[in-house]
Amino acid sequence: MKWQQVQDGPSAVYVVVLDPGEDALTELTAFARERSLGASQVTAVGAFSEAVVGWFDREDKDYRRIPVGEQCEVLSLIGDIAVADDGPTPHLHAVVGLSDGSTRGGHLLSGRVWPTLEVVVRDSPAELAKTHRPDIGLALIDLEARP
């Protein structure tokens, strides 16, 4: 992973470029924690050699895993970074395109980069907290909580 800060100030902007073989979620989580990001927007394009997206099952309160076991284009990757119990945590959704033109999409659970993933992270001076909601089974941004 390589990164460069392309805008200074309280609303910093970073460009993060992931290398072949890196896991997108692992690397972006490490980047967010190293930079102490607390309220950021994330967008990206690139490709994965394989990925797993998830669809949240309300009754099971867990993600149904949707494996994508082939090279795929990252057509859209969007999300946020907020502070959870264990530190800054990305919440990312992805749509990937397959060789036949079909797509798969959902919550990004993992994505093995190939050949690149080009990510733009727009931070803000605010900090947003995620609070675990047992009734839902997820940690969600809580505008009343303080990180």
Side-chain angles (χ1 to χ4, degrees), residues 32 39 43 108-109 136:
T43 58
L108 183 65
L109 299 173
I136 296 173

Side-chain angles (χ1 to χ4, degrees), residues 46-50 68-73 97-99 112-115:
F48 296 139
S49 61
E50 61 183 5
V68 180
E70 64 182 86
Q71 177 70 25
C72 53
E73 295 288 325
L98 308 181
S99 62
R112 186 75 46 206
V113 173
W114 193 92

Side-chain angles (χ1 to χ4, degrees), residues 3 10 28 30 33 40 43 45 58 64-66 73-74 82 85 113 131 137 146:
W3 64 273
L28 292 174
R33 291 179 181 178
S40 302
T43 58
V45 295
R58 291 171 61 174
R64 288 190 192 169
R65 297 171 64 83
I66 304 166
E73 295 288 325
V74 177
D85 289 341
V113 173
T131 300
R146 304 306 293 159

Side-chain angles (χ1 to χ4, degrees), residues 51-139:
V52 178
V53 294
W55 178 81
F56 191 74
D57 185 313
R58 291 171 61 174
E59 289 185 25
D60 290 344
K61 296 182 182 177
D62 200 5
Y63 287 99
R64 288 190 192 169
R65 297 171 64 83
I66 304 166
V68 180
E70 64 182 86
Q71 177 70 25
C72 53
E73 295 288 325
V74 177
L75 304 176
S76 176
L77 189 148
I78 60 172
D80 60 49
I81 298 170
V83 180
D85 289 341
D86 54 351
T89 302
H91 177 188
L92 306 173
H93 287 193
V95 177
V96 297
L98 308 181
S99 62
D100 65 358
S102 65
T103 59
R104 299 288 185 274
H107 183 87
L108 183 65
L109 299 173
S110 69
R112 186 75 46 206
V113 173
W114 193 92
T116 190
L117 188 69
E118 301 163 346
V119 184
V120 177
V121 179
R122 288 173 170 65
D123 194 32
S124 78
E127 283 198 353
L128 295 173
K130 289 190 181 215
T131 300
H132 182 71
R133 297 271 311 270
D135 58 319
I136 296 173
L138 292 169

